[in-house]
Amino acid sequence: MKVEDMDFSLYVITDTDASGGRLHAEVVRLALEGGATAIQYREKRASVRRMLEVGAQLRELAAQHGAAFIVNDRPDLAIALGADGVHVGPEDLPPDVVRKIVGPDMMVSVSVDNPQDAREAEARGADYIVARPVFPTRWKASGRATMGAEGLAEIVRSVRVPVLADGGINAETLPDILRSGAAGPGVTAAVVGAEDPREAARQFREMVEAYKSRQTAGQGA
Amino acid sequence: MKVEDMDFSLYVITDTDASGGRLHAEVVRLALEGGATAIQYREKRASVRRMLEVGAQLRELAAQHGAAFIVNDRPDLAIALGADGVHVGPEDLPPDVVRKIVGPDMMVSVSVDNPQDAREAEARGADYIVARPVFPTRWKASGRATMGAEGLAEIVRSVRVPVLADGGINAETLPDILRSGAAGPGVTAAVVGAEDPREAARQFREMVEAYKSRQTAGQGA
């Protein structure tokens, strides 16, 4: 998938630590039914042999809903699963190396927390940037200060590629990140850790669409 | 590299846990000077970003000595490093999936501990098999019974591809594994954990060559 065809309206990251140990396939199915437009599969606890099985389920679910499927950390697994993209962080393979492994047709995205790293990731071929952590999260200790909406806006201004905002995004903070120019929200525990992931996704998606409608109306005025 | 061109005389596995925390590049350099013909890079503790740096050093050292360079676990890293091979275990991606990721020119090897798994690995495209654990090792608790020289011989008989013998191989057990039909010894702590890895490698290599000479002489008689 090309990044031009990517719908960033609601990018849901599934992670065992955030979903309270529920099955990835179950929370992802609900998130997709609620309106998720992209699914990132993040797993730090299972073997890659197991990830190959679970990833195939998620890949199929995403395809059924017309959503993008992204694999975290592992370009090799992304290739094996026919993923639309692979996402890497500062401890993973750098984006230019990932590009050589996965070829030209898979999206490569990179997590950054400052404008300099965002520019470097873009220069090394990242198709989009994940800015994180924007706000504090409860489920994952980052050990870093959060950038806030203003830090996010700086990252957005520093690159030409889309910037997804990740970390502590909820009903209160969503308008701020959209006003900051983020392509969309990346949410983890707020959806996959919700009691009702379908309803949580539905509410996020509704807020994003409402914001877009106001933007369009504003541009028309 | 094709497996036909692989020299199994002394296959040394470098692992931080086995080398007492010494630098991979240092113990590998000494092992190569002592006569290692192949190096497998195994690392469970560092980030893959770090492995990319260290792996590049090991890849270069191996090339300088005309030795094969194999990456454990990660096909993506093996591609990034231009490795000669990638090695996978039962928790990693299966060999047929690895083959699709790395293409036709990289060797794919698989660890097994019984003939049935050896046959399956061969059927799924493994270029060679690593039989382990043949004998008990001190540095790595396997939680499994060891197969012994007889179990190794069964695996050798069950497949047509070369079988490397790994686990507890030392001066006493080396003749047994060679008589069992192993292509060569895979050694970890016995070389990279030795006080003098160069001398340890030299002694292993000398024993292997002495065995081969006797074999050749025996065939000529």
Side-chain angles (χ1 to χ4, degrees), chain B residues 135-219:
Chain B
F135 302 111
T137 57
R138 272 170 301 178
W139 73 279
K140 191 178 182 184
S142 74
R144 290 176 295 183
T146 55
M147 66 184 73
E150 185 44 46
L152 169 64
E154 281 180 34
I155 289 175
V156 169
R157 286 193 295 268
S158 70
V159 293
R160 282 170 294 182
V161 295
V163 176
L164 189 83
D166 182 25
I169 296 168
N170 52 37
E172 283 173 51
T173 57
L174 181 64
D176 287 342
I177 70 106
L178 294 173
R179 272 194 296 271
S180 297
V187 289
T188 310
V191 169
V192 302
E195 197 175 336
D196 184 345
R198 186 197 286 116
E199 177 58 18
R202 197 194 60 71
Q203 289 180 13
F204 268 109
R205 181 70 188 274
E206 191 175 85
M207 287 186 284
V208 171
E209 296 305 325
Y211 180 87
K212 284 186 194 169
S213 297
R214 285 197 300 275
Q215 285 291 98
T216 309
Q219 283 168 3

Side-chain angles (χ1 to χ4, degrees), chain A residues 47-50 52 73-77 79-80 89-95 97 100-101 120 124, chain B residues 47-50 52 73-77 79-80 89-95 97 100-101 120 124:
Chain A
S47 73
V48 69
R49 183 71 68 108
R50 175 72 183 147
L52 185 65
D73 280 1
R74 300 266 319 219
D76 45 9
L77 187 63
I79 295 170
E91 299 290 291
D92 302 321
L93 293 170
V97 173
K100 283 181 199 159
I101 296 166
E120 189 193 329
R124 294 178 86 164
Chain B
S47 72
V48 69
R49 183 70 69 105
R50 175 72 183 147
L52 185 65
D73 279 2
R74 300 267 319 219
D76 45 10
L77 188 63
I79 295 171
E91 299 292 292
D92 302 321
L93 293 169
V97 173
K100 284 182 198 160
I101 296 167
E120 189 194 330
R124 293 177 86 164

Side-chain angles (χ1 to χ4, degrees), chain A residues 91-179:
Chain A
E91 299 290 291
D92 302 321
L93 293 170
D96 48 339
V97 173
V98 175
R99 173 66 62 207
K100 283 181 199 159
I101 296 166
V102 301
D105 296 329
M106 193 184 291
M107 290 184 292
V108 177
S109 54
V110 178
S111 300
V112 304
D113 64 1
N114 65 76
Q116 188 181 331
D117 289 352
R119 279 189 296 267
E120 189 193 329
E122 183 180 47
R124 294 178 86 164
D127 291 301
Y128 65 95
I129 298 291
V130 178
R132 63 183 303 277
V134 179
F135 303 111
T137 56
R138 271 170 302 180
W139 72 279
K140 191 178 182 186
S142 74
R144 291 175 296 184
T146 54
M147 67 184 73
E150 184 46 44
L152 169 63
E154 281 179 34
I155 290 175
V156 170
R157 286 192 297 267
S158 70
V159 293
R160 281 170 295 183
V161 296
V163 177
L164 189 83
D166 183 26
I169 296 169
N170 53 37
E172 282 172 50
T173 57
L174 181 64
D176 286 343
I177 69 106
L178 295 173
R179 272 194 296 269

Side-chain angles (χ1 to χ4, degrees), chain B residues 81-157:
Chain B
L81 292 170
D84 299 306
V86 57
H87 179 78
V88 289
E91 299 292 292
D92 302 321
L93 293 169
D96 48 339
V97 173
V98 175
R99 173 65 63 208
K100 284 182 198 160
I101 296 167
V102 301
D105 296 329
M106 192 183 293
M107 291 184 292
V108 177
S109 55
V110 178
S111 300
V112 304
D113 64 2
N114 66 77
Q116 188 181 332
D117 288 352
R119 280 190 295 268
E120 189 194 330
E122 182 180 47
R124 293 177 86 164
D127 291 300
Y128 65 95
I129 298 292
V130 177
R132 62 184 303 278
V134 179
F135 302 111
T137 57
R138 272 170 301 178
W139 73 279
K140 191 178 182 184
S142 74
R144 290 176 295 183
T146 55
M147 66 184 73
E150 185 44 46
L152 169 64
E154 281 180 34
I155 289 175
V156 169
R157 286 193 295 268

